[in-house]
Amino acid sequence: MSDLSWLPRESGIKNHHLWSEEHFSSEAPGVMFEKRPILDPSGNPVDGLYSAWIILNNPKQYNSYTTEMVKGVIAGFHRASADSSVVAAVFTAMGDKAFCTGGNTKEYAEYYAKRPNEYGLYMDLFNAMVDGILGCKKPTICRVNGMRVAGGQEIGMACDLTLSSDLAIFGQAGPRHGSAPDGGSSDFLPWMLPMELAMWNCVSCEMWSAYKMQRLGLISKCVPVIKDADGWVRNPAIQTDRYVADGEIVYGEYKTGDAAKQARAYVKTAKTDFERLDNEVNRILWTYTNLFPGCLIKSVEGIRLKKKFFWDQAKVINRHWLAANMNGEAFLGFNAFNTKKITGKDTIDFIEYRRRQAAGDAFDVEFMAAVLGRPTT
């Protein structure tokens, strides 16, 4: 017999999804999952091929992720990975103010603080979220629609490419608010920035512009999202019309003085339009669509391995430290931030903290009360 038609074979498509729709929600706070048709260069949908959009939906809290939202992100990337009609996954968020500002500080302060075992269980989910992004068997794009800060920066850096609104800012918050950026930043930043810039960005809690991050190589592209009657307007708060001034690189740095005040006032009332950002996303998706899928994902994962190497080395031990820290500095930092409307301050008194620590004071209720803000009324 010259063919193999005699071999017993199954037909049909097996379902490799672990979950149905239970972790997705169109109500905030939640995570939405959408399949959108691949568009050709003329904007026409391609029959049967899609991009998977995993969308953080908590805009009133700057798309910070709750415990349930973390589960939604895990489920979203797994669904994208296991769907053969999906070309690539796009990770983004609702609104125009923030992609993600990290974990939900209210939940951290009011539930996880002083519950280290519970936070350890939460970190197991967080680690699975980063693993889910790094392990997705489709290329991943972070579509940054606003601030990408703290844990939001970390899950964004886990993606393969970043395309950003030029109004976005990037940075860490941990050392200022009671934690360490050990959800990926201390692993990924040294790969993506020069070592000393990675160090400073990791610990200083400075916010850097999208243009600066593109210049330094952390992100692939940033585009204007403000459109007025005369056309597209680049972020007026950022230096973009010159590269050097007085011997210093100024491209991507913040303007100061009256120029900064005028820019903030303009941006506050400006209308945002993500057409150019979405065009860039579609351009990348079309490029991916016209590559051999097996060769594409092998190439992608060959690059990812470098990020995964250090992430896998540290994620378990970091999980235990982050949990233990919920009994100490994290308790103070998250509660200070969570009560800023009550006290008028979003950080502790660092000077008093260091003085008491230098004096060998016990880390007790009196110590904590002395460094936290007090209600203003």
Side-chain angles (χ1 to χ4, degrees), residues 94-141:
M94 294 296 290
D96 63 357
K97 299 295 187 294
F99 163 68
C100 180
T101 53
N104 187 270
T105 309
K106 178 177 172 63
E107 187 178 54
Y108 282 6
E110 297 180 10
Y111 181 73
Y112 286 118
K114 290 293 186 181
R115 291 187 174 105
N117 182 68
E118 290 292 293
Y119 193 67
L121 296 173
Y122 167 86
M123 281 306 303
D124 290 336
L125 290 174
F126 178 90
N127 286 355
M129 174 168 61
V130 176
D131 287 339
I133 299 168
L134 289 170
C136 183
K137 295 302 178 283
K138 306 294 166 59
T140 57
I141 300 169

Side-chain angles (χ1 to χ4, degrees), residues 6-35:
W6 56 274
L7 286 174
R9 300 287 291 168
E10 284 189 40
S11 60
I13 301 292
K14 287 191 181 292
N15 182 347
H16 295 100
H17 299 311
L18 285 174
W19 303 281
S20 296
E21 305 294 320
E22 62 268 28
H23 295 302
F24 307 132
S25 174
S26 59
E27 296 184 6
V31 171
M32 299 186 294
F33 181 88
E34 299 177 3
K35 286 174 64 174

Side-chain angles (χ1 to χ4, degrees), residues 298-315:
K298 172 58 180 73
S299 302
V300 166
E301 296 214 281
I303 300 293
R304 282 181 188 165
L305 280 173
K306 282 65 179 177
K307 288 197 288 187
K308 288 177 70 174
F309 177 80
F310 286 107
W311 165 249
D312 287 340
Q313 296 297 307
K315 67 184 181 185

Side-chain angles (χ1 to χ4, degrees), residues 5 12 75 134 195 260 310 352 358:
S5 60
L134 289 170
M195 184 62 75
F310 286 107
E352 181 64 17

Side-chain angles (χ1 to χ4, degrees), residues 34-165:
E34 299 177 3
K35 286 174 64 174
R36 301 183 184 182
I38 295 293
L39 302 179
D40 69 19
S42 298
N44 302 309
V46 177
D47 186 43
L49 295 178
Y50 303 90
S51 56
W53 289 59
I54 298 99
I55 306 168
L56 301 172
N57 182 21
N58 189 16
K60 290 184 178 179
Q61 294 180 310
Y62 297 102
N63 292 313
S64 58
Y65 43 78
T66 63
T67 302
E68 291 303 313
M69 289 174 67
V70 172
K71 296 177 188 177
V73 175
I74 296 168
F77 277 96
H78 185 274
R79 179 169 287 265
S81 185
D83 188 333
S84 296
S85 70
V86 168
V87 172
V90 179
F91 195 16
T92 191
M94 294 296 290
D96 63 357
K97 299 295 187 294
F99 163 68
C100 180
T101 53
N104 187 270
T105 309
K106 178 177 172 63
E107 187 178 54
Y108 282 6
E110 297 180 10
Y111 181 73
Y112 286 118
K114 290 293 186 181
R115 291 187 174 105
N117 182 68
E118 290 292 293
Y119 193 67
L121 296 173
Y122 167 86
M123 281 306 303
D124 290 336
L125 290 174
F126 178 90
N127 286 355
M129 174 168 61
V130 176
D131 287 339
I133 299 168
L134 289 170
C136 183
K137 295 302 178 283
K138 306 294 166 59
T140 57
I141 300 169
C142 185
R143 174 188 176 274
V144 180
N145 53 304
M147 291 186 287
R148 195 174 88 174
V149 176
Q153 171 80 315
E154 294 175 319
I155 59 177
M157 286 192 294
C159 294
D160 301 319
L161 295 177
T162 293
L163 309 174
S164 177
S165 155

